[in-house]
Amino acid sequence: MSTIFTKIINREIPAEILYETDNVISIIDIMPIHYGHALIIPKKEYKTFLDVPEAELKELLAVTQLIAKALVKTFKLEGFNFFSNNGEIAGQSVHHFHIHVTPRYPNDKVSFAHNLKKYNEGQMKEVADKIRANIS
Ligand code: 5GP
């Protein structure tokens, strides 16, 4: 079964399309953090960031920057967030990789991080060593 985004790409369901290339589409998110919140989506149904071939990342990021610039210009933004939820535990609800770009405004109370942790002495190196061992 195809994802909701594939249905949008195939024009089976409507969406406000901001921009489109052969490989990437950008649409307005139906439930925005702020008006203009946009999604940048590869046309192929990759599940998460980890499934996107390296060769396709450049265009995805270029379109993300293009859309972010348009949002900044349109809403005269001082800042914006771009982010991606990967896996249900991280809040991904549509299992077709996508990048969110949302406007931010002063005192808008949008928050991504609560209860930030602290490292104990030596713990940061321990954690970094484990990660470094898995970079290939
Ligand atoms: P996720 O939760 O997977 O990171 O993000 C999925 C996003 O897709 C949500 O922000 C949600 O509002 C948006 N979305 C889900 N269904 C539709 C739809 O039918 N049309 C549009 N334009 N956006 C959708």
Side-chain angles (χ1 to χ4, degrees), residues 114-119:
H114 299 281
N115 304 322
L116 296 179
K117 296 184 192 312
K118 282 190 176 151
Y119 288 104

Side-chain angles (χ1 to χ4, degrees), residues 25-72:
I25 193 167
S26 177
I27 62 172
I28 294 277
D29 194 305
I30 205 168
M31 281 174 53
I33 294 172
H34 286 299
Y35 296 131
H37 176 167
L39 302 172
I40 296 86
I41 310 162
K43 288 191 173 176
K44 288 191 191 142
E45 279 188 14
Y46 303 117
K47 256 189 168 171
T48 76
F49 182 54
L50 301 187
D51 303 307
V52 182
E54 193 179 334
E56 298 192 29
L57 292 175
K58 194 174 167 190
E59 188 179 356
L60 265 174
L61 211 55
V63 174
T64 302
Q65 189 187 57
L66 188 78
I67 296 302
K69 282 181 178 172
L71 293 183
V72 166

Side-chain angles (χ1 to χ4, degrees), residues 52-127:
V52 182
E54 193 179 334
E56 298 192 29
L57 292 175
K58 194 174 167 190
E59 188 179 356
L60 265 174
L61 211 55
V63 174
T64 302
Q65 189 187 57
L66 188 78
I67 296 302
K69 282 181 178 172
L71 293 183
V72 166
K73 193 171 172 188
T74 304
F75 301 108
K76 301 185 175 34
L77 302 178
E78 288 173 29
F80 60 91
N81 289 106
F82 78 98
F83 62 94
S84 172
N85 301 321
N86 289 268
E88 275 175 28
I89 197 154
Q92 184 175 12
S93 60
V94 178
H95 297 277
H96 180 158
F97 176 70
H98 51 283
I99 298 170
H100 297 253
V101 185
T102 182
R104 293 299 304 271
Y105 296 100
N107 307 312
D108 65 5
K109 304 236 166 36
V110 174
S111 174
F112 287 85
H114 299 281
N115 304 322
L116 296 179
K117 296 184 192 312
K118 282 190 176 151
Y119 288 104
N120 299 323
E121 181 78 28
Q123 195 182 11
M124 189 190 286
K125 183 178 181 317
E126 222 174 86
V127 170

